[in-house]
Amino acid sequence: MSGQDVVFYGSSPWDETWLTEHYLAEALSRDGRVLFVDPAFSVLTVLKRRRGVRAVRGVVELLAAPTRTEGEVTVVRTSSLPKKENALVRRASAPWRRAQVARAVKAAGLDVGVVVTAAAFDDSTWIPRGAVKVAIVKDWLEAGAHLTGLSAQVIRERQRRTWEIADVVCAISTRLVARLAEEGVTARLLRHGSLAGRFGSTAVQAVPEPLERFPRPLIGAVGRVDSRWDHAALGEVADRNPGGSVLLIGPVSQRIDRAELDALLRRPNVHLLPPVPNTEVPAWVEALDCSTVPYVDDPWQQYASPLKIWDYLRAGTPIAATGCPALGEFPEGLVHFSLPSRDLPKLVEAALAEPARTRAERRTYAAANTWDDRAAQLREIVAETVR
């Protein structure tokens, strides 16, 4: 795939929380040109978020200048008719959205040979003749329909069509590869990776100022605080470490059971902190004495592979994780893992007691499994497809 330009359709905007597609698109851009396509926005969405003159100005800016450059990646924000999830509206908006991407490709002078989606291939997807079509499967979305706001049936129909259109399907966990096989879909394993950059035997980043006021040990969970987290297990971790601090670092989902979260936050040593910018996450994670992935064991997690684990590995911080089988597939000693989330307290205890040398072992593993490595793997998969 080296030398071929790529159009990459994302499931989340470039300037929001980074997901699989953001990291992979950035890595691909180091060996070729990439156009990242944000999910379509509705004019009404902008008008609802802003008021008066600011709302009108925001709409005009997005329509007049939908394309921008972010590092080595060109990003285009396409627009849609209002009520964009309505089936009739989606069909009506499809030609308009294809035209917007085609204009962005022409303006950038791209020669597109590969189209990748982390969302879906449908009538709105611009695909040039002869391009290799790659679908990235990140979750078994039917199992998590309650987290998306869409019905399982709608999700299944979109997924099925995507797999049928794609020349190559890649999945980010072994469980997903196996589940796709049950559906008659042959998928290639393309795991997540770590950010290339600073690796070393010791942490050298300064402790972020907001963390300096909390007593140790610092036991943290980074990411969206939602129903995937076992709040009762986190509460028990806090109760077993009364002299330390349990830190929940990230935005709170609107769909969360607020009563469960409030019960957790009533403990004096549990603290909810705001989201941390991507560039600052490494310093925050390095400052922790134990990083956690406190997921419950449910159908959604059976197929997932949390991105945050790679931030933890890169930082070297001791890790306690539950609920997601993919987290138990790392080399022995890197992750303290158990499927039942009720085991989280004892996993945290083991993580806090481990020798200091394991931080270096995690960093070494992360350095050998970067997003650049994943991009190279994807290039080879595409090359095999066109041979």
Side-chain angles (χ1 to χ4, degrees):
M1 192 171 69
S2 179
Q4 295 186 25
D5 299 333
V6 179
V7 170
F8 208 131
Y9 286 84
S11 64
S12 177
W14 185 266
D15 55 3
E16 294 187 6
T17 301
W18 274 29
L19 304 175
T20 307
E21 55 264 37
H22 303 84
Y23 293 111
L24 195 51
E26 183 188 50
L28 288 168
S29 74
R30 283 189 270 279
D31 193 30
R33 295 182 295 179
V34 176
L35 175 70
F36 186 91
V37 184
D38 277 354
F41 76 92
S42 161
V43 170
L44 283 183
T45 301
V46 179
L47 294 176
K48 288 177 181 178
R49 292 180 177 177
R50 303 182 184 182
R51 293 288 184 269
V53 176
R54 289 183 66 249
V56 176
R57 184 181 296 122
V59 172
V60 171
E61 290 174 352
L62 286 169
L63 293 176
T67 304
R68 66 188 190 279
T69 300
E70 299 284 353
E72 298 298 320
V73 178
T74 301
V75 180
V76 61
R77 187 78 184 269
T78 61
S79 53
S80 170
L81 296 172
K83 297 185 178 180
K84 62 181 182 178
E85 290 301 333
N86 178 279
L88 292 177
V89 171
R90 288 173 65 88
R91 284 197 291 271
S93 296
W96 183 22
R97 289 198 62 206
R98 292 197 303 270
Q100 292 173 73
V101 176
R103 284 197 298 270
V105 168
K106 184 177 181 180
L110 302 184
D111 180 15
V112 177
V114 181
V115 177
V116 186
T117 185
F121 284 127
D122 57 25
D123 292 340
S124 68
T125 310
W126 177 83
I127 305 173
R129 185 185 301 275
V132 177
K133 303 175 287 295
V134 181
I136 306 292
V137 182
K138 305 181 296 180
D139 298 286
W140 194 250
L141 292 177
E142 287 181 66
H146 60 290
L147 296 172
T148 67
L150 298 174
S151 72
Q153 181 61 31
V154 168
I155 290 173
R156 181 169 183 79
E157 290 173 356
R158 291 183 185 179
Q159 287 183 316
R160 175 54 62 182
R161 185 174 185 192
T162 297
W163 303 333
E164 291 172 351
I165 292 174
D167 298 307
V168 181
V169 176
C170 294
I172 53 86
S173 74
T174 56
R175 290 284 185 110
L176 268 177
V177 170
R179 184 66 182 83
L180 286 162
E182 293 176 9
E183 298 288 327
V185 178
T186 300
R188 302 289 296 272
L189 179 63
L190 185 69
R191 297 185 190 273
H192 289 151
S194 69
L195 285 170
R198 187 188 61 77
F199 294 102
S201 59
T202 59
V204 297
Q205 300 200 60
V207 175
E209 188 276 333
L211 296 182
E212 291 180 346
R213 62 188 176 92
F214 296 112
R216 290 184 179 271
L218 300 182
I219 303 164
V222 180
R224 182 175 296 277
V225 184
D226 57 25
S227 60
R228 295 174 299 173
W229 292 21
D230 189 329
H231 301 104
L234 284 168
E236 187 174 345
V237 170
D239 294 341
R240 291 193 184 188
N241 295 273
S245 306
V246 174
L247 309 176
L248 315 181
I249 307 167
V252 177
S253 170
Q254 295 181 349
R255 296 188 177 93
I256 198 171
D257 184 334
R258 193 70 208 196
E260 288 187 1
L261 179 59
D262 289 343
L264 174 60
L265 294 175
R266 279 196 289 270
R267 291 170 169 83
N269 61 336
V270 178
H271 309 277
L272 178 63
L273 303 177
V276 177
N278 287 325
T279 55
E280 298 178 19
V281 167
W284 281 65
V285 176
E286 279 192 2
L288 300 176
D289 298 295
C290 175
S291 51
T292 68
V293 184
Y295 285 169
V296 297
D297 175 18
D298 66 9
W300 175 265
Q301 300 309 324
Q302 287 297 307
Y303 306 102
S305 183
L307 282 163
K308 65 173 67 69
I309 196 71
W310 290 96
D311 291 326
Y312 296 171
L313 289 166
R314 181 172 182 256
T317 312
I319 303 168
T322 60
C324 182
L327 300 179
E329 297 178 357
F330 289 97
E332 185 176 358
L334 297 186
V335 179
H336 300 271
F337 173 76
S338 180
L339 195 59
S341 54
R342 65 175 179 272
D343 291 340
L344 184 65
K346 69 179 184 182
L347 296 172
V348 169
E349 181 179 353
L352 291 173
E354 72 176 30
R357 68 173 183 276
T358 56
R359 284 187 176 246
E361 292 171 358
R362 291 189 183 89
R363 290 196 184 98
T364 298
Y365 182 81
N369 291 274
T370 68
W371 282 108
D372 288 347
D373 296 319
R374 304 307 185 233
Q377 182 186 353
L378 180 57
R379 293 185 191 101
E380 179 57 31
I381 290 172
V382 170
E384 291 174 4
T385 302
V386 298
R387 283 173 187 158

